[in-house]
Amino acid sequence: MVYASMPLMAALIGYVTKLVAIRMMFQPLEFVGKKPYFGWQGIVPRRAARMASIAVDTMTDRLISASEVMGRLDPERVVKEIEKPLLAGVEEIAEEIAQEFQPGLWETLPDQVRRRIVRHVQAEAPGVVASLLETVKNDVDAVFDLKDMVVTNLVRDKALLNRIFQHAGRKEFQFIARSGIVFGFAIGLVQMFAWAALKNPWVMPIFGGLTGWFTDWLALKMIFNPKKPTRYLGIFEWQGLFLKRRKEVAADYGELIAREIITPKNVMEAVLRGPLSDRLFALVAAQVRTVIDKQSGPARPLVMLAVGSGRYQAIKNSIAEKVIARLPETMTHIESYAEDAMDIRNTLVTKMQEMTEDEFEALIRPAFEQDEWILITVGAVLGFGVGELQVIMVKYLSV
């Protein structure tokens, strides 16, 4: 029973240390303990910004660009999708502006005159939107930062970042845990013979630490190496699991990115509220002011004389601000069309499946590479501790 327990305990050590290592990669989401050294935060959540940045660099360099995302939107189709809320918004804005700058005047105007004014502005609105979208498409990098959008969403939602790596690598994590049993049992057999020869109580913790360290190290290596199918001893062939499952991982990864991150809603949010949104709003304001001047036509000098040039500019600015304030709500009406037009999932999956082994590894590897030495060390420490328990168990069984 003493000798039979050794490979079984070693297999248990291998399995448990793998489960602990996998959990430590992702949990907890926030630091637990006393910063900076006494405590723990999952490696993926702790390195969220860097991991997201590395993955996004590969994604935007090799897979998809901001111009590609926005370039697939047809301005005329967008105008058609938002026409109803756009025209309704124009009418409301016209009334609000009139009441704001000439209280009571709008109500005194004949209904026919009010409708004519609104119709004039409504007739111009679709053209303004189409022209604005063409301007954005021609210089999309000026108003849309794809990398910032992806990184911001991943850092803000660490659980989402965890889900992406856990889902894409679910089979690899299963392999890591199960491999601990096989490798641990094999080392336990060696441990059994070492105990038989030496009868030294240090054999247990030393082999326990070796089991925890070696099985963690080997399992992590086998996920990514070798990059190409390689035959060993002329008996069996092996290829890093992630690379062997490239097509399946690409499908899972592309699905998650398209469903959770590069969505029409997030893209519109980034364009309208992101770090470059001021440039977009400047474009919108300029377009609106141009339309107002055009609508004034020959009467513009008389209008300016009547209300004052400063007042006229204030009216234009107020209209621009109200249009901009309504943009987020109006743009929600194109989400369904945008999802089909952008076709993010199929683009990512197709291009990921065309990546070289090195490029594919660079996209996924950061989750495993970051601080993996800590995981291996923890595996060794846990194995050493369980080895000490083995000594106690051996003494008990010997009695």
Side-chain angles (χ1 to χ4, degrees):
M1 289 182 64
V2 171
Y3 288 101
S5 71
M6 293 180 185
L8 294 177
M9 284 297 295
L12 180 63
I13 292 171
Y15 181 65
V16 171
T17 54
K18 300 305 154 294
L19 292 181
V20 172
I22 292 169
R23 186 168 183 81
M24 288 178 67
M25 287 184 65
F26 301 104
Q27 299 295 332
L29 290 177
E30 303 296 337
F31 191 91
V32 175
K34 188 173 180 60
K35 290 186 176 183
Y37 303 113
F38 299 101
W40 185 257
Q41 181 181 12
I43 289 176
V44 172
R46 180 154 54 95
R47 304 291 190 184
R50 187 168 185 272
M51 285 188 181
S53 181
I54 292 172
V56 170
D57 282 341
T58 305
M59 188 188 305
T60 52
D61 289 344
R62 303 287 184 181
L63 302 181
I64 197 164
S65 63
S67 58
E68 192 172 3
V69 171
M70 298 297 293
R72 293 174 178 176
L73 296 178
D74 177 11
E76 292 184 5
R77 178 66 186 275
V78 170
V79 169
K80 183 178 179 180
E81 293 291 329
I82 66 172
E83 184 175 17
K84 187 175 180 179
L86 177 66
L87 298 183
V90 165
E91 184 170 0
E92 291 175 12
I93 289 172
E95 293 181 4
E96 288 176 12
I97 292 296
Q99 292 170 0
E100 180 180 346
F101 287 92
Q102 292 293 335
L105 176 62
W106 183 257
E107 289 79 358
T108 62
L109 289 174
D111 186 59
Q112 185 177 3
V113 174
R114 284 185 292 177
R115 284 201 303 270
R116 186 184 306 127
I117 294 172
V118 170
R119 282 199 302 269
H120 272 299
V121 182
Q122 287 177 331
E124 292 285 348
V128 172
V129 173
S131 175
L132 179 64
L133 283 174
E134 283 293 350
T135 302
V136 169
K137 286 174 64 175
N138 292 334
D139 190 15
V140 66
D141 291 329
V143 296
F144 177 42
D145 189 338
L146 176 61
K147 179 176 179 179
D148 178 82
M149 183 200 77
V150 176
V151 172
T152 298
N153 277 280
L154 289 177
V155 173
R156 181 173 55 198
D157 189 353
K158 298 184 179 70
L160 170 60
L161 184 63
N162 275 356
R163 276 203 314 277
I164 290 173
F165 284 113
Q166 286 173 323
H167 185 70
R170 63 191 183 281
K171 291 188 177 180
E172 284 65 32
F173 293 127
Q174 290 174 0
F175 166 79
I176 289 175
R178 292 168 183 171
S179 68
I181 299 174
V182 178
F183 298 147
F185 188 87
I187 294 175
L189 292 175
V190 179
Q191 179 190 37
M192 183 176 67
F193 289 107
W195 173 259
L198 301 174
K199 290 291 193 300
N200 189 319
W202 282 104
V203 168
M204 301 300 184
I206 289 174
F207 269 86
L210 177 64
T211 301
W213 169 79
F214 180 74
T215 54
D216 276 7
W217 174 83
L218 185 59
L220 289 169
K221 289 298 179 185
M222 291 179 70
I223 288 177
F224 292 101
N225 294 290
K227 294 178 182 177
K228 296 184 181 295
T230 304
R231 186 166 293 277
Y232 293 92
L233 304 174
I235 302 174
F236 67 94
E237 185 178 87
W238 186 263
Q239 181 184 15
L241 288 180
F242 254 129
L243 299 172
K244 186 177 182 180
R245 286 201 318 118
R246 283 168 59 187
K247 291 188 179 298
E248 186 180 345
V249 173
D252 289 341
Y253 193 88
E255 172 73 28
L256 281 165
I257 295 296
R259 189 176 70 235
E260 303 276 5
I261 301 177
I262 309 181
T263 64
K265 181 178 180 180
N266 286 345
V267 170
M268 297 304 167
E269 181 82 9
V271 171
L272 296 174
R273 303 187 190 280
L276 303 180
S277 58
D278 286 349
R279 300 180 188 179
L280 174 68
F281 291 163
L283 285 175
V284 175
Q287 289 275 8
V288 171
R289 293 187 187 107
T290 299
V291 171
I292 294 171
D293 287 340
K294 182 179 178 181
Q295 285 296 321
S296 301
R300 181 185 173 195
L302 296 176
V303 173
M304 292 181 64
L305 181 64
V307 302
S309 60
R311 189 77 163 165
Y312 180 72
Q313 290 297 328
I315 293 173
K316 288 203 300 182
N317 290 337
S318 181
I319 292 174
E321 288 173 5
K322 292 181 184 299
V323 169
I324 289 169
R326 289 174 179 269
L327 272 178
E329 180 183 353
T330 303
M331 297 307 285
T332 59
H333 292 267
I334 73 165
E335 286 182 12
S336 179
Y337 158 68
E339 184 173 355
D340 292 336
M342 291 178 178
D343 196 21
I344 301 299
R345 180 196 176 280
N346 289 331
T347 299
L348 289 175
V349 171
T350 300
K351 291 189 176 181
M352 279 184 70
Q353 292 176 345
E354 295 172 353
M355 294 171 78
T356 66
E357 286 83 359
D358 289 334
E359 291 170 341
F360 191 82
E361 182 185 23
L363 186 64
I364 303 293
R365 178 69 167 160
F368 296 84
E369 194 171 30
Q370 276 291 316
D371 296 337
E372 67 181 25
W373 67 270
I374 298 178
L375 301 178
I376 295 171
T377 302
V378 169
V381 172
L382 288 174
F384 188 90
V386 176
E388 292 285 0
L389 294 177
Q390 273 187 290
V391 174
I392 298 172
M393 180 180 292
V394 167
K395 290 180 178 178
Y396 174 77
L397 292 174
S398 297
V399 173

